[in-house]
Amino acid sequence: MIYSELIEKQVLGRLRVDNPWWTENEVPSFYANMQPRLYLDIFYPLVVDTAVRRAIILMGPRRVGKTVMLFHTIQRLIADGVSPQNIIYISVETPIYNKILLEHLFNLAKQVLGKSDSKERFYVFFDEIQYLRDWEVNLKSLVDTYHNVKFIASGSAAAELKKRSDESGAGRFTDFSLPPLTFYEYVHMKGYGQLMHPIEIEWKEGNIQGNTTIDITKLNQLFIDYINYGGYPEVVFSERIQENPGQFIRHDIIDKVLLRDLPSLYGITDVQELNSLFTMIAYHSGSQFSYEGLSKDSGVKKDTLRKYINYLEAAFLVKKIRRADDTAKAYRREMLFKLYLTNPSLRCALFQPVTENDEVIGNMVETAVYAQWIPRNANIAYANWNEGNKKKGEVDIVGINDAKQKPYWAVEVKWSNKPFTNPSSELKSLETFMRTNGLTHAIVTSISETGKRNMAYGCLQFMPVACYAYTVAENTLKNTKMSFGL
């Protein structure tokens, strides 16, 4: 009894420390002074929407700003007139909260506030909720019980959270995914939005909007910096961390995910084996893999490899992109596939920064482009096929029409100006793909060239890859708004 009372007293004290606005009426300056993610303007309306009784589940990988977004949300709630004493923040991974049910933590917080029996509206934030076993059952019960409370939870094991949210929280949870920093956000957070301006791109069904730049040299410099350091907000604004980003990212992201999060969530015993596999994938991000080849190179059984890749996808460290043939149909047997880091700066952390002339720059540019697409969950693939005489055909990104199961757009990602100068010899595979599928338009990226080439088989629209990545990221943000009706 004495021990239980002592623990409860410590929990009450910890709740006071974690909620300084109860007495100071503002969030800590450490968070208040940080520049908000652009996704906050989409997330916040979901939080204040009390018409629908749902908890908000903020998902995303480590260190992309989920906790900061929660504090910025709290800051905005206070600015909008919500009483600071009606806002409760609880970091579930705090050791002293171990095995304490969410409802008990909520009631203890109200006890501290002297509102144990209050029926007022509360906003309750549970950070890193995946560390509580059966959290989804606990949270669903809270949503059903406390009609005057808006519950917001965050977690880093995105796929695991999504699975449990879908299974147990149907009709009670709204999922919100926060990706690593996009190139669109990176440009604006660094204060270079004035470099960009919109342009109209000719397309088969009418013009579409893209972006160009007034200074391609500066934009390309920003793009290379983004590939090396840009996926994490803390790295973007800290020159000290940029001096040794590997230490920050390895310790705070990779090690915690590979050595703590995944083993605890999935019962992985050989973490060294998983770590070695991830390092290999990171080094070859954007390359084509097979389970047989990976098994031979790593010494890991194929069935185990499949599980490991699923785990790495669950932790939002990698993304597997399926292979399609020259008609964009999936192969009956999944022999080959590509693996991309969801955040290109993970490679820099493990190895070294890349330069614009590096041998691996092509793969890392492609990784950065895919990083802008991945949060959208679009039906995309890469096309790869045999053309005869031992030649291979490949197109980097293909959009699949879900209804017709046919390709309706294609993009060839290049870090080179040669295709613009000589498209006939440099873009043979793209020509084959367009002719085979009746595509009349395609996008080809370059280092610095903008313009179009009217070929016998269709129109090729060229744009710098940095402009393309910026445009995709901007549209990904807009797509998120539309998916929530904003």
Side-chain angles (χ1 to χ4, degrees):
M1 181 66 179
I2 295 175
Y3 176 76
S4 178
E5 289 176 355
L6 178 63
I7 292 295
E8 187 163 301
K9 185 177 180 181
Q10 291 176 332
V11 168
L12 296 175
R14 182 71 200 194
L15 286 168
R16 291 187 182 94
V17 170
D18 288 345
N19 294 265
W21 47 87
W22 290 349
T23 54
E24 299 171 13
N25 295 325
E26 60 183 9
V27 302
S29 59
F30 174 78
Y31 294 106
N33 295 334
M34 287 186 180
Q35 193 168 344
R37 293 280 306 261
L38 297 182
Y39 280 82
L40 178 64
D41 290 334
I42 309 170
F43 181 70
Y44 185 74
L46 301 176
V47 172
V48 296
D49 181 6
T50 57
V52 179
R53 204 164 70 242
R54 284 172 173 258
I56 310 299
I57 312 296
L58 176 61
M59 306 176 186
R62 281 188 172 274
R63 311 306 289 193
V64 297
K66 296 187 302 301
T67 297
V68 175
M69 184 176 282
L70 295 185
F71 277 93
H72 282 155
T73 300
I74 292 168
Q75 181 182 32
R76 194 172 286 189
L77 285 170
I78 295 171
D80 286 349
V82 176
S83 169
Q85 285 75 42
N86 286 52
I87 303 171
I88 297 167
Y89 170 85
I90 298 168
S91 179
V92 178
E93 69 174 335
T94 302
I96 200 169
Y97 299 150
N98 189 31
K99 297 182 180 179
I100 301 178
L101 298 181
L102 299 180
E103 185 171 18
H104 189 41
L105 288 170
F106 174 44
N107 287 327
L108 287 173
K110 288 201 295 181
Q111 180 182 321
V112 174
L113 293 163
K115 296 186 176 186
S116 297
D117 299 320
S118 174
K119 300 299 181 184
E120 301 171 54
R121 176 164 299 285
F122 286 90
Y123 294 86
V124 181
F125 297 81
F126 295 115
D127 203 2
E128 296 293 355
I129 198 171
Q130 76 269 12
Y131 287 103
L132 177 70
R133 180 172 292 181
D134 298 326
W135 64 267
E136 68 281 6
V137 178
N138 278 258
L139 187 58
K140 182 176 182 295
S141 175
L142 286 174
V143 173
D144 289 338
T145 303
Y146 297 93
H147 298 175
N148 60 329
V149 180
K150 190 62 178 270
F151 294 99
I152 305 96
S154 81
S156 298
E160 182 69 10
L161 284 168
K162 175 74 175 151
K163 178 184 174 185
R164 295 195 184 192
S165 173
D166 290 343
E167 290 175 351
S168 300
R172 292 293 180 267
F173 301 164
T174 296
D175 299 333
F176 188 98
S177 293
L178 184 65
L181 203 64
T182 65
F183 187 54
Y184 176 78
E185 289 181 287
Y186 180 80
V187 169
H188 286 271
M189 291 176 85
K190 294 288 281 187
Y192 288 101
Q194 75 279 2
L195 290 179
M196 310 303 297
H197 61 88
I199 58 170
E200 294 289 319
I201 299 173
E202 179 185 321
W203 210 247
K204 61 180 179 180
E205 295 172 352
N207 290 355
I208 58 175
Q209 186 173 305
N211 289 280
T212 189
T213 179
I214 60 174
D215 188 345
I216 188 57
T217 301
K218 182 60 183 177
L219 187 67
N220 279 342
Q221 179 189 330
L222 288 169
F223 190 55
I224 297 296
D225 288 345
Y226 171 77
I227 288 173
N228 287 318
Y229 315 113
Y232 300 103
E234 286 172 273
V235 182
V236 171
F237 294 109
S238 174
E239 291 183 6
R240 182 183 61 81
I241 294 177
Q242 284 185 21
E243 290 173 2
N244 189 2
Q247 183 178 0
F248 167 80
I249 296 175
R250 276 197 303 271
H251 178 263
D252 279 17
I253 300 163
I254 298 172
D255 286 353
K256 284 185 178 178
V257 171
L258 296 181
L259 302 181
R260 188 178 75 173
D261 293 355
L262 290 177
S264 66
L265 287 169
Y266 299 107
I268 297 170
T269 55
D270 195 340
V271 292
Q272 191 58 48
E273 189 174 67
L274 178 63
N275 196 7
S276 297
L277 176 67
F278 175 69
T279 302
M280 181 191 299
I281 292 170
Y283 188 79
H284 297 287
S285 178
S287 297
Q288 187 168 252
F289 295 90
S290 69
Y291 286 116
E292 186 171 339
L294 273 174
S295 180
K296 193 175 293 183
D297 291 339
S298 65
V300 181
K301 293 180 179 179
K302 284 188 280 188
D303 287 345
T304 305
L305 277 173
R306 286 186 174 88
K307 292 178 183 177
Y308 282 169
I309 290 173
N310 287 339
Y311 298 156
L312 292 172
E313 283 199 283
F316 213 78
L317 291 175
V318 305
K319 178 67 175 178
K320 185 172 76 172
I321 302 296
R322 71 175 180 87
R323 177 189 179 216
D325 64 16
D326 58 339
T327 65
K329 289 186 171 60
Y331 286 89
R332 290 185 178 180
R333 292 183 61 196
E334 185 191 54
M335 301 289 291
L336 298 169
F337 50 88
K338 284 191 176 184
L339 291 171
Y340 291 92
L341 292 170
T342 56
N343 187 336
S345 52
L346 285 167
R347 189 187 192 282
C348 169
L350 287 169
F351 305 105
Q352 61 186 16
V354 298
T355 66
E356 62 182 32
N357 297 316
D358 243 314
E359 184 181 349
V360 300
I361 187 63
N363 273 10
M364 294 317 299
V365 164
E366 201 173 302
T367 297
V369 168
Y370 262 100
Q372 315 311 306
W373 272 106
I374 289 170
R376 236 190 274 189
N377 292 317
N379 188 356
I380 58 177
Y382 74 100
N384 179 276
W385 66 93
N386 294 319
E387 289 189 322
N389 297 323
K390 297 184 178 179
K391 289 184 178 180
K392 294 279 187 180
E394 184 167 311
V395 175
D396 294 319
I397 313 177
V398 175
I400 312 296
N401 184 308
D402 289 323
K404 298 180 179 179
Q405 285 301 297
K406 291 183 178 180
Y408 64 112
W409 56 261
V411 176
E412 189 65 18
V413 180
K414 299 288 188 183
W415 179 253
S416 170
N417 287 329
K418 287 182 181 179
F420 181 81
T421 306
N422 195 355
S424 296
S425 62
E426 295 287 335
L427 298 170
K428 291 288 189 184
S429 291
L430 182 59
E431 176 183 348
T432 298
F433 190 82
M434 291 177 69
R435 287 185 184 278
T436 301
N437 296 286
L439 297 182
T440 59
H441 292 71
I443 291 174
V444 183
T445 72
S446 64
I447 294 177
S448 58
E449 296 286 2
T450 300
K452 66 178 181 179
R453 291 282 188 265
N454 289 312
M455 311 298 290
Y457 53 88
C459 177
L460 303 180
Q461 180 68 50
F462 288 83
M463 67 172 68
V465 67
C467 293
Y468 178 72
Y470 178 94
T471 300
V472 173
E474 180 183 24
N475 289 334
T476 295
L477 186 70
K478 291 178 180 177
N479 186 72
T480 304
K481 289 182 182 179
M482 289 187 290
S483 67
F484 289 109
L486 299 173

